[in-house]
PDB file of all heavy atoms in Angstrom:
ATOM      1  N   TRP A   1       9.975 -12.958  18.540  1.00 97.00           N
ATOM      2  CA  TRP A   1      10.907 -12.462  17.521  1.00 97.00           C
ATOM      3  C   TRP A   1      11.716 -11.268  18.010  1.00 97.00           C
ATOM      4  O   TRP A   1      12.922 -11.220  17.794  1.00 97.00           O
ATOM      5  CB  TRP A   1      10.184 -12.138  16.213  1.00 97.00           C
ATOM      6  CG  TRP A   1       9.264 -10.950  16.296  1.00 97.00           C
ATOM      7  CD1 TRP A   1       7.950 -10.965  16.667  1.00 97.00           C
ATOM      8  CD2 TRP A   1       9.588  -9.593  16.020  1.00 97.00           C
ATOM      9  NE1 TRP A   1       7.438  -9.698  16.647  1.00 97.00           N
ATOM     10  CE2 TRP A   1       8.421  -8.822  16.251  1.00 97.00           C
ATOM     11  CE3 TRP A   1      10.745  -8.931  15.606  1.00 97.00           C
ATOM     12  CZ2 TRP A   1       8.377  -7.450  16.081  1.00 97.00           C
ATOM     13  CZ3 TRP A   1      10.702  -7.553  15.431  1.00 97.00           C
ATOM     14  CH2 TRP A   1       9.535  -6.831  15.674  1.00 97.00           C
ATOM     15  N   LEU A   2      11.072 -10.306  18.692  1.00 96.00           N
ATOM     16  CA  LEU A   2      11.794  -9.101  19.089  1.00 96.00           C
ATOM     17  C   LEU A   2      12.832  -9.374  20.181  1.00 96.00           C
ATOM     18  O   LEU A   2      13.991  -8.952  20.029  1.00 96.00           O
ATOM     19  CB  LEU A   2      10.815  -7.996  19.510  1.00 96.00           C
ATOM     20  CG  LEU A   2      11.440  -6.631  19.777  1.00 96.00           C
ATOM     21  CD1 LEU A   2      12.263  -6.142  18.583  1.00 96.00           C
ATOM     22  CD2 LEU A   2      10.357  -5.617  20.131  1.00 96.00           C
ATOM     23  N   PRO A   3      12.501 -10.100  21.249  1.00 97.00           N
ATOM     24  CA  PRO A   3      13.548 -10.412  22.234  1.00 97.00           C
ATOM     25  C   PRO A   3      14.711 -11.203  21.617  1.00 97.00           C
ATOM     26  O   PRO A   3      15.873 -10.985  21.980  1.00 97.00           O
ATOM     27  CB  PRO A   3      12.823 -11.239  23.303  1.00 97.00           C
ATOM     28  CG  PRO A   3      11.385 -10.913  23.148  1.00 97.00           C
ATOM     29  CD  PRO A   3      11.179 -10.555  21.703  1.00 97.00           C
ATOM     30  N   LYS A   4      14.379 -12.086  20.677  1.00 97.00           N
ATOM     31  CA  LYS A   4      15.439 -12.859  20.019  1.00 97.00           C
ATOM     32  C   LYS A   4      16.351 -11.941  19.213  1.00 97.00           C
ATOM     33  O   LYS A   4      17.574 -12.069  19.273  1.00 97.00           O
ATOM     34  CB  LYS A   4      14.843 -13.952  19.128  1.00 97.00           C
ATOM     35  CG  LYS A   4      14.242 -15.100  19.914  1.00 97.00           C
ATOM     36  CD  LYS A   4      13.635 -16.140  18.993  1.00 97.00           C
ATOM     37  CE  LYS A   4      13.051 -17.288  19.795  1.00 97.00           C
ATOM     38  NZ  LYS A   4      12.438 -18.298  18.925  1.00 97.00           N
ATOM     39  N   LEU A   5      15.765 -11.013  18.452  1.00 96.00           N
ATOM     40  CA  LEU A   5      16.593 -10.099  17.660  1.00 96.00           C
ATOM     41  C   LEU A   5      17.448  -9.226  18.567  1.00 96.00           C
ATOM     42  O   LEU A   5      18.625  -8.985  18.276  1.00 96.00           O
ATOM     43  CB  LEU A   5      15.736  -9.222  16.744  1.00 96.00           C
ATOM     44  CG  LEU A   5      14.881  -9.913  15.681  1.00 96.00           C
ATOM     45  CD1 LEU A   5      14.330  -8.887  14.701  1.00 96.00           C
ATOM     46  CD2 LEU A   5      15.630 -10.998  14.961  1.00 96.00           C
ATOM     47  N   ARG A   6      16.871  -8.776  19.669  1.00 95.00           N
ATOM     48  CA  ARG A   6      17.636  -7.949  20.611  1.00 95.00           C
ATOM     49  C   ARG A   6      18.765  -8.726  21.268  1.00 95.00           C
ATOM     50  O   ARG A   6      19.740  -8.137  21.722  1.00 95.00           O
ATOM     51  CB  ARG A   6      16.699  -7.352  21.657  1.00 95.00           C
ATOM     52  CG  ARG A   6      15.820  -6.264  21.087  1.00 95.00           C
ATOM     53  CD  ARG A   6      14.939  -5.632  22.123  1.00 95.00           C
ATOM     54  NE  ARG A   6      14.191  -4.509  21.555  1.00 95.00           N
ATOM     55  CZ  ARG A   6      13.050  -4.079  22.035  1.00 95.00           C
ATOM     56  NH1 ARG A   6      12.501  -4.649  23.101  1.00 95.00           N
ATOM     57  NH2 ARG A   6      12.428  -3.055  21.465  1.00 95.00           N
ATOM     58  N   ALA A   7      18.628 -10.052  21.299  1.00 96.00           N
ATOM     59  CA  ALA A   7      19.677 -10.920  21.862  1.00 96.00           C
ATOM     60  C   ALA A   7      20.642 -11.393  20.771  1.00 96.00           C
ATOM     61  O   ALA A   7      21.427 -12.317  20.997  1.00 96.00           O
ATOM     62  CB  ALA A   7      19.040 -12.114  22.570  1.00 96.00           C
ATOM     63  N   PHE A   8      20.569 -10.770  19.593  1.00 96.00           N
ATOM     64  CA  PHE A   8      21.436 -11.099  18.459  1.00 96.00           C
ATOM     65  C   PHE A   8      21.270 -12.551  18.006  1.00 96.00           C
ATOM     66  O   PHE A   8      22.222 -13.219  17.645  1.00 96.00           O
ATOM     67  CB  PHE A   8      22.905 -10.777  18.777  1.00 96.00           C
ATOM     68  CG  PHE A   8      23.144  -9.317  19.012  1.00 96.00           C
ATOM     69  CD1 PHE A   8      23.109  -8.780  20.293  1.00 96.00           C
ATOM     70  CD2 PHE A   8      23.368  -8.466  17.942  1.00 96.00           C
ATOM     71  CE1 PHE A   8      23.297  -7.423  20.505  1.00 96.00           C
ATOM     72  CE2 PHE A   8      23.568  -7.101  18.143  1.00 96.00           C
ATOM     73  CZ  PHE A   8      23.530  -6.585  19.437  1.00 96.00           C
ATOM     74  N   ASP A   9      20.014 -12.998  18.031  1.00 97.00           N
ATOM     75  CA  ASP A   9      19.644 -14.339  17.577  1.00 97.00           C
ATOM     76  C   ASP A   9      18.988 -14.184  16.204  1.00 97.00           C
ATOM     77  O   ASP A   9      17.913 -13.593  16.087  1.00 97.00           O
ATOM     78  CB  ASP A   9      18.676 -14.959  18.587  1.00 97.00           C
ATOM     79  CG  ASP A   9      18.138 -16.316  18.178  1.00 97.00           C
ATOM     80  OD1 ASP A   9      18.436 -16.790  17.055  1.00 97.00           O
ATOM     81  OD2 ASP A   9      17.390 -16.903  18.988  1.00 97.00           O
ATOM     82  N   ALA A  10      19.619 -14.714  15.169  1.00 97.00           N
ATOM     83  CA  ALA A  10      19.106 -14.571  13.802  1.00 97.00           C
ATOM     84  C   ALA A  10      18.048 -15.616  13.447  1.00 97.00           C
ATOM     85  O   ALA A  10      17.491 -15.570  12.348  1.00 97.00           O
ATOM     86  CB  ALA A  10      20.260 -14.637  12.807  1.00 97.00           C
ATOM     87  N   SER A  11      17.748 -16.529  14.349  1.00 97.00           N
ATOM     88  CA  SER A  11      16.837 -17.626  14.017  1.00 97.00           C
ATOM     89  C   SER A  11      15.447 -17.185  13.548  1.00 97.00           C
ATOM     90  O   SER A  11      14.875 -17.841  12.674  1.00 97.00           O
ATOM     91  CB  SER A  11      16.713 -18.606  15.184  1.00 97.00           C
ATOM     92  OG  SER A  11      16.063 -18.012  16.289  1.00 97.00           O
ATOM     93  N   PRO A  12      14.864 -16.082  14.053  1.00 98.00           N
ATOM     94  CA  PRO A  12      13.530 -15.709  13.545  1.00 98.00           C
ATOM     95  C   PRO A  12      13.514 -15.445  12.034  1.00 98.00           C
ATOM     96  O   PRO A  12      12.496 -15.698  11.377  1.00 98.00           O
ATOM     97  CB  PRO A  12      13.191 -14.437  14.327  1.00 98.00           C
ATOM     98  CG  PRO A  12      13.947 -14.592  15.615  1.00 98.00           C
ATOM     99  CD  PRO A  12      15.245 -15.254  15.209  1.00 98.00           C
ATOM    100  N   TYR A  13      14.612 -14.964  11.483  1.00 98.00           N
ATOM    101  CA  TYR A  13      14.655 -14.722  10.037  1.00 98.00           C
ATOM    102  C   TYR A  13      14.573 -16.040   9.263  1.00 98.00           C
ATOM    103  O   TYR A  13      13.990 -16.089   8.185  1.00 98.00           O
ATOM    104  CB  TYR A  13      15.929 -13.968   9.654  1.00 98.00           C
ATOM    105  CG  TYR A  13      15.989 -12.568  10.213  1.00 98.00           C
ATOM    106  CD1 TYR A  13      16.810 -12.264  11.286  1.00 98.00           C
ATOM    107  CD2 TYR A  13      15.216 -11.548   9.663  1.00 98.00           C
ATOM    108  CE1 TYR A  13      16.877 -10.971  11.800  1.00 98.00           C
ATOM    109  CE2 TYR A  13      15.268 -10.254  10.169  1.00 98.00           C
ATOM    110  CZ  TYR A  13      16.100  -9.975  11.243  1.00 98.00           C
ATOM    111  OH  TYR A  13      16.153  -8.703  11.745  1.00 98.00           O
ATOM    112  N   ALA A  14      15.165 -17.072   9.802  1.00 96.00           N
ATOM    113  CA  ALA A  14      15.130 -18.381   9.146  1.00 96.00           C
ATOM    114  C   ALA A  14      13.800 -19.093   9.391  1.00 96.00           C
ATOM    115  O   ALA A  14      13.316 -19.822   8.528  1.00 96.00           O
ATOM    116  CB  ALA A  14      16.285 -19.246   9.652  1.00 96.00           C
ATOM    117  N   GLU A  15      13.202 -18.871  10.569  1.00 97.00           N
ATOM    118  CA  GLU A  15      11.981 -19.587  10.967  1.00 97.00           C
ATOM    119  C   GLU A  15      10.702 -18.946  10.451  1.00 97.00           C
ATOM    120  O   GLU A  15       9.638 -19.555  10.530  1.00 97.00           O
ATOM    121  CB  GLU A  15      11.905 -19.647  12.497  1.00 97.00           C
ATOM    122  CG  GLU A  15      13.020 -20.441  13.121  1.00 97.00           C
ATOM    123  CD  GLU A  15      13.110 -20.253  14.629  1.00 97.00           C
ATOM    124  OE1 GLU A  15      12.234 -19.564  15.219  1.00 97.00           O
ATOM    125  OE2 GLU A  15      14.058 -20.788  15.218  1.00 97.00           O
ATOM    126  N   ALA A  16      10.778 -17.747   9.942  1.00 98.00           N
ATOM    127  CA  ALA A  16       9.573 -17.030   9.509  1.00 98.00           C
ATOM    128  C   ALA A  16       8.783 -17.852   8.492  1.00 98.00           C
ATOM    129  O   ALA A  16       9.347 -18.415   7.554  1.00 98.00           O
ATOM    130  CB  ALA A  16       9.961 -15.679   8.907  1.00 98.00           C
ATOM    131  N   GLU A  17       7.492 -17.897   8.705  1.00 98.00           N
ATOM    132  CA  GLU A  17       6.599 -18.568   7.756  1.00 98.00           C
ATOM    133  C   GLU A  17       6.418 -17.682   6.528  1.00 98.00           C
ATOM    134  O   GLU A  17       6.668 -16.477   6.575  1.00 98.00           O
ATOM    135  CB  GLU A  17       5.233 -18.825   8.403  1.00 98.00           C
ATOM    136  CG  GLU A  17       5.276 -19.771   9.585  1.00 98.00           C
ATOM    137  CD  GLU A  17       5.583 -21.204   9.211  1.00 98.00           C
ATOM    138  OE1 GLU A  17       5.227 -21.616   8.081  1.00 98.00           O
ATOM    139  OE2 GLU A  17       6.179 -21.902  10.036  1.00 98.00           O
ATOM    140  N   VAL A  18       5.953 -18.272   5.456  1.00 98.00           N
ATOM    141  CA  VAL A  18       5.651 -17.508   4.243  1.00 98.00           C
ATOM    142  C   VAL A  18       4.352 -16.732   4.458  1.00 98.00           C
ATOM    143  O   VAL A  18       3.516 -17.119   5.272  1.00 98.00           O
ATOM    144  CB  VAL A  18       5.546 -18.416   3.003  1.00 98.00           C
ATOM    145  CG1 VAL A  18       6.851 -19.143   2.759  1.00 98.00           C
ATOM    146  CG2 VAL A  18       4.392 -19.394   3.129  1.00 98.00           C
ATOM    147  N   MET A  19       4.188 -15.657   3.717  1.00 97.00           N
ATOM    148  CA  MET A  19       2.981 -14.836   3.844  1.00 97.00           C
ATOM    149  C   MET A  19       2.047 -14.976   2.640  1.00 97.00           C
ATOM    150  O   MET A  19       0.975 -14.390   2.617  1.00 97.00           O
ATOM    151  CB  MET A  19       3.368 -13.372   4.036  1.00 97.00           C
ATOM    152  CG  MET A  19       4.102 -13.157   5.350  1.00 97.00           C
ATOM    153  SD  MET A  19       4.473 -11.425   5.668  1.00 97.00           S
ATOM    154  CE  MET A  19       2.826 -10.774   5.980  1.00 97.00           C
ATOM    155  N   HIS A  20       2.491 -15.726   1.640  1.00 96.00           N
ATOM    156  CA  HIS A  20       1.722 -15.858   0.401  1.00 96.00           C
ATOM    157  C   HIS A  20       1.901 -17.275  -0.136  1.00 96.00           C
ATOM    158  O   HIS A  20       2.739 -18.032   0.342  1.00 96.00           O
ATOM    159  CB  HIS A  20       2.216 -14.850  -0.651  1.00 96.00           C
ATOM    160  CG  HIS A  20       2.255 -13.451  -0.150  1.00 96.00           C
ATOM    161  ND1 HIS A  20       1.144 -12.655  -0.079  1.00 96.00           N
ATOM    162  CD2 HIS A  20       3.287 -12.700   0.337  1.00 96.00           C
ATOM    163  CE1 HIS A  20       1.472 -11.472   0.417  1.00 96.00           C
ATOM    164  NE2 HIS A  20       2.765 -11.483   0.680  1.00 96.00           N
ATOM    165  N   ASN A  21       1.154 -17.597  -1.163  1.00 97.00           N
ATOM    166  CA  ASN A  21       1.336 -18.860  -1.866  1.00 97.00           C
ATOM    167  C   ASN A  21       2.625 -18.708  -2.686  1.00 97.00           C
ATOM    168  O   ASN A  21       2.632 -18.072  -3.739  1.00 97.00           O
ATOM    169  CB  ASN A  21       0.128 -19.124  -2.768  1.00 97.00           C
ATOM    170  CG  ASN A  21       0.280 -20.362  -3.608  1.00 97.00           C
ATOM    171  OD1 ASN A  21       1.384 -20.809  -3.930  1.00 97.00           O
ATOM    172  ND2 ASN A  21      -0.850 -20.931  -3.996  1.00 97.00           N
ATOM    173  N   MET A  22       3.722 -19.263  -2.179  1.00 97.00           N
ATOM    174  CA  MET A  22       5.028 -19.036  -2.795  1.00 97.00           C
ATOM    175  C   MET A  22       5.178 -19.747  -4.135  1.00 97.00           C
ATOM    176  O   MET A  22       5.902 -19.279  -5.007  1.00 97.00           O
ATOM    177  CB  MET A  22       6.144 -19.445  -1.839  1.00 97.00           C
ATOM    178  CG  MET A  22       6.133 -18.626  -0.548  1.00 97.00           C
ATOM    179  SD  MET A  22       6.058 -16.843  -0.826  1.00 97.00           S
ATOM    180  CE  MET A  22       7.749 -16.427  -0.554  1.00 97.00           C
ATOM    181  N   SER A  23       4.486 -20.857  -4.308  1.00 97.00           N
ATOM    182  CA  SER A  23       4.529 -21.557  -5.598  1.00 97.00           C
ATOM    183  C   SER A  23       3.915 -20.680  -6.684  1.00 97.00           C
ATOM    184  O   SER A  23       4.478 -20.519  -7.772  1.00 97.00           O
ATOM    185  CB  SER A  23       3.794 -22.890  -5.475  1.00 97.00           C
ATOM    186  OG  SER A  23       3.723 -23.523  -6.711  1.00 97.00           O
ATOM    187  N   LEU A  24       2.774 -20.089  -6.377  1.00 97.00           N
ATOM    188  CA  LEU A  24       2.115 -19.203  -7.330  1.00 97.00           C
ATOM    189  C   LEU A  24       2.957 -17.939  -7.550  1.00 97.00           C
ATOM    190  O   LEU A  24       3.129 -17.494  -8.694  1.00 97.00           O
ATOM    191  CB  LEU A  24       0.717 -18.827  -6.830  1.00 97.00           C
ATOM    192  CG  LEU A  24      -0.113 -17.939  -7.753  1.00 97.00           C
ATOM    193  CD1 LEU A  24      -0.338 -18.600  -9.103  1.00 97.00           C
ATOM    194  CD2 LEU A  24      -1.451 -17.601  -7.083  1.00 97.00           C
ATOM    195  N   LEU A  25       3.505 -17.386  -6.484  1.00 98.00           N
ATOM    196  CA  LEU A  25       4.353 -16.207  -6.610  1.00 98.00           C
ATOM    197  C   LEU A  25       5.548 -16.499  -7.517  1.00 98.00           C
ATOM    198  O   LEU A  25       5.866 -15.719  -8.409  1.00 98.00           O
ATOM    199  CB  LEU A  25       4.830 -15.730  -5.230  1.00 98.00           C
ATOM    200  CG  LEU A  25       5.738 -14.503  -5.229  1.00 98.00           C
ATOM    201  CD1 LEU A  25       5.038 -13.293  -5.839  1.00 98.00           C
ATOM    202  CD2 LEU A  25       6.212 -14.199  -3.806  1.00 98.00           C
ATOM    203  N   ALA A  26       6.178 -17.639  -7.317  1.00 98.00           N
ATOM    204  CA  ALA A  26       7.330 -18.011  -8.144  1.00 98.00           C
ATOM    205  C   ALA A  26       6.927 -18.130  -9.613  1.00 98.00           C
ATOM    206  O   ALA A  26       7.662 -17.667 -10.502  1.00 98.00           O
ATOM    207  CB  ALA A  26       7.939 -19.321  -7.647  1.00 98.00           C
ATOM    208  N   ARG A  27       5.778 -18.736  -9.886  1.00 97.00           N
ATOM    209  CA  ARG A  27       5.317 -18.855 -11.285  1.00 97.00           C
ATOM    210  C   ARG A  27       5.134 -17.482 -11.918  1.00 97.00           C
ATOM    211  O   ARG A  27       5.568 -17.246 -13.039  1.00 97.00           O
ATOM    212  CB  ARG A  27       4.015 -19.660 -11.361  1.00 97.00           C
ATOM    213  CG  ARG A  27       4.227 -21.154 -11.291  1.00 97.00           C
ATOM    214  CD  ARG A  27       2.998 -21.911 -11.764  1.00 97.00           C
ATOM    215  NE  ARG A  27       1.815 -21.655 -10.978  1.00 97.00           N
ATOM    216  CZ  ARG A  27       1.453 -22.335  -9.889  1.00 97.00           C
ATOM    217  NH1 ARG A  27       2.206 -23.327  -9.457  1.00 97.00           N
ATOM    218  NH2 ARG A  27       0.346 -22.039  -9.245  1.00 97.00           N
ATOM    219  N   TYR A  28       4.472 -16.585 -11.193  1.00 98.00           N
ATOM    220  CA  TYR A  28       4.261 -15.228 -11.713  1.00 98.00           C
ATOM    221  C   TYR A  28       5.597 -14.532 -11.960  1.00 98.00           C
ATOM    222  O   TYR A  28       5.795 -13.899 -12.998  1.00 98.00           O
ATOM    223  CB  TYR A  28       3.429 -14.403 -10.729  1.00 98.00           C
ATOM    224  CG  TYR A  28       1.948 -14.658 -10.745  1.00 98.00           C
ATOM    225  CD1 TYR A  28       1.383 -15.748 -11.386  1.00 98.00           C
ATOM    226  CD2 TYR A  28       1.088 -13.795 -10.087  1.00 98.00           C
ATOM    227  CE1 TYR A  28       0.017 -15.965 -11.379  1.00 98.00           C
ATOM    228  CE2 TYR A  28      -0.292 -13.994 -10.079  1.00 98.00           C
ATOM    229  CZ  TYR A  28      -0.808 -15.086 -10.722  1.00 98.00           C
ATOM    230  OH  TYR A  28      -2.171 -15.300 -10.718  1.00 98.00           O
ATOM    231  N   LEU A  29       6.496 -14.623 -10.992  1.00 98.00           N
ATOM    232  CA  LEU A  29       7.776 -13.924 -11.127  1.00 98.00           C
ATOM    233  C   LEU A  29       8.594 -14.475 -12.284  1.00 98.00           C
ATOM    234  O   LEU A  29       9.206 -13.704 -13.042  1.00 98.00           O
ATOM    235  CB  LEU A  29       8.567 -13.997  -9.815  1.00 98.00           C
ATOM    236  CG  LEU A  29       7.936 -13.252  -8.635  1.00 98.00           C
ATOM    237  CD1 LEU A  29       8.788 -13.418  -7.388  1.00 98.00           C
ATOM    238  CD2 LEU A  29       7.705 -11.785  -8.960  1.00 98.00           C
ATOM    239  N   ASN A  30       8.599 -15.780 -12.450  1.00 98.00           N
ATOM    240  CA  ASN A  30       9.352 -16.370 -13.564  1.00 98.00           C
ATOM    241  C   ASN A  30       8.758 -15.957 -14.913  1.00 98.00           C
ATOM    242  O   ASN A  30       9.499 -15.678 -15.858  1.00 98.00           O
ATOM    243  CB  ASN A  30       9.438 -17.885 -13.412  1.00 98.00           C
ATOM    244  CG  ASN A  30      10.425 -18.282 -12.336  1.00 98.00           C
ATOM    245  OD1 ASN A  30      11.507 -17.708 -12.235  1.00 98.00           O
ATOM    246  ND2 ASN A  30      10.062 -19.250 -11.511  1.00 98.00           N
ATOM    247  N   LYS A  31       7.429 -15.883 -14.998  1.00 97.00           N
ATOM    248  CA  LYS A  31       6.790 -15.426 -16.237  1.00 97.00           C
ATOM    249  C   LYS A  31       7.147 -13.972 -16.516  1.00 97.00           C
ATOM    250  O   LYS A  31       7.460 -13.598 -17.655  1.00 97.00           O
ATOM    251  CB  LYS A  31       5.266 -15.574 -16.149  1.00 97.00           C
ATOM    252  CG  LYS A  31       4.768 -16.995 -16.278  1.00 97.00           C
ATOM    253  CD  LYS A  31       3.243 -17.049 -16.154  1.00 97.00           C
ATOM    254  CE  LYS A  31       2.760 -18.475 -16.194  1.00 97.00           C
ATOM    255  NZ  LYS A  31       1.288 -18.556 -16.022  1.00 97.00           N
ATOM    256  N   LEU A  32       7.084 -13.145 -15.492  1.00 98.00           N
ATOM    257  CA  LEU A  32       7.396 -11.725 -15.679  1.00 98.00           C
ATOM    258  C   LEU A  32       8.860 -11.530 -16.062  1.00 98.00           C
ATOM    259  O   LEU A  32       9.182 -10.688 -16.903  1.00 98.00           O
ATOM    260  CB  LEU A  32       7.057 -10.938 -14.409  1.00 98.00           C
ATOM    261  CG  LEU A  32       5.552 -10.728 -14.206  1.00 98.00           C
ATOM    262  CD1 LEU A  32       5.247 -10.334 -12.774  1.00 98.00           C
ATOM    263  CD2 LEU A  32       5.019  -9.683 -15.180  1.00 98.00           C
ATOM    264  N   GLN A  33       9.726 -12.328 -15.492  1.00 97.00           N
ATOM    265  CA  GLN A  33      11.149 -12.226 -15.838  1.00 97.00           C
ATOM    266  C   GLN A  33      11.366 -12.592 -17.304  1.00 97.00           C
ATOM    267  O   GLN A  33      12.135 -11.938 -18.003  1.00 97.00           O
ATOM    268  CB  GLN A  33      11.971 -13.121 -14.911  1.00 97.00           C
ATOM    269  CG  GLN A  33      13.423 -12.722 -14.808  1.00 97.00           C
ATOM    270  CD  GLN A  33      14.125 -13.456 -13.684  1.00 97.00           C
ATOM    271  OE1 GLN A  33      13.858 -14.634 -13.433  1.00 97.00           O
ATOM    272  NE2 GLN A  33      15.018 -12.761 -13.013  1.00 97.00           N
ATOM    273  N   LYS A  34      10.648 -13.605 -17.781  1.00 97.00           N
ATOM    274  CA  LYS A  34      10.755 -13.982 -19.200  1.00 97.00           C
ATOM    275  C   LYS A  34      10.245 -12.873 -20.114  1.00 97.00           C
ATOM    276  O   LYS A  34      10.669 -12.766 -21.267  1.00 97.00           O
ATOM    277  CB  LYS A  34       9.995 -15.286 -19.465  1.00 97.00           C
ATOM    278  CG  LYS A  34      10.724 -16.503 -18.936  1.00 97.00           C
ATOM    279  CD  LYS A  34       9.959 -17.770 -19.178  1.00 97.00           C
ATOM    280  CE  LYS A  34      10.739 -18.933 -18.589  1.00 97.00           C
ATOM    281  NZ  LYS A  34       9.902 -20.049 -18.220  1.00 97.00           N
ATOM    282  N   LEU A  35       9.337 -12.036 -19.592  1.00 96.00           N
ATOM    283  CA  LEU A  35       8.820 -10.904 -20.360  1.00 96.00           C
ATOM    284  C   LEU A  35       9.757  -9.696 -20.304  1.00 96.00           C
ATOM    285  O   LEU A  35       9.466  -8.665 -20.912  1.00 96.00           O
ATOM    286  CB  LEU A  35       7.435 -10.500 -19.849  1.00 96.00           C
ATOM    287  CG  LEU A  35       6.304 -11.501 -20.105  1.00 96.00           C
ATOM    288  CD1 LEU A  35       5.035 -11.090 -19.368  1.00 96.00           C
ATOM    289  CD2 LEU A  35       6.041 -11.609 -21.607  1.00 96.00           C
ATOM    290  N   GLY A  36      10.839  -9.817 -19.538  1.00 96.00           N
ATOM    291  CA  GLY A  36      11.816  -8.730 -19.499  1.00 96.00           C
ATOM    292  C   GLY A  36      11.904  -7.961 -18.195  1.00 96.00           C
ATOM    293  O   GLY A  36      12.731  -7.060 -18.062  1.00 96.00           O
ATOM    294  N   PHE A  37      11.056  -8.287 -17.242  1.00 97.00           N
ATOM    295  CA  PHE A  37      11.147  -7.633 -15.943  1.00 97.00           C
ATOM    296  C   PHE A  37      12.358  -8.162 -15.178  1.00 97.00           C
ATOM    297  O   PHE A  37      12.712  -9.336 -15.293  1.00 97.00           O
ATOM    298  CB  PHE A  37       9.889  -7.898 -15.098  1.00 97.00           C
ATOM    299  CG  PHE A  37       8.693  -7.119 -15.538  1.00 97.00           C
ATOM    300  CD1 PHE A  37       7.849  -7.607 -16.517  1.00 97.00           C
ATOM    301  CD2 PHE A  37       8.397  -5.886 -14.967  1.00 97.00           C
ATOM    302  CE1 PHE A  37       6.737  -6.899 -16.931  1.00 97.00           C
ATOM    303  CE2 PHE A  37       7.284  -5.160 -15.369  1.00 97.00           C
ATOM    304  CZ  PHE A  37       6.454  -5.671 -16.352  1.00 97.00           C
TER     305      PHE A  37
END
């Protein structure tokens, strides 16, 4: 990732894996948004 960024290659930003269960995160965020967050 670092040599790529230094070479002005943006691909690591697109290729990065998720760090959490994104389906669960999305559910929580959508619920919180409905509550006014």
Side-chain angles (χ1 to χ4, degrees):
W1 69 272
L2 187 55
K4 288 179 179 179
L5 299 191
R6 288 182 175 155
F8 297 93
D9 176 356
S11 67
Y13 294 105
E15 296 168 5
E17 296 290 330
V18 299
M19 295 184 70
H20 307 280
N21 176 334
M22 298 310 258
S23 175
L24 182 60
L25 180 60
R27 280 196 299 271
Y28 281 13
L29 294 179
N30 285 318
K31 285 179 184 178
L32 285 163
Q33 202 169 37
K34 285 179 181 154
L35 292 171
F37 285 87

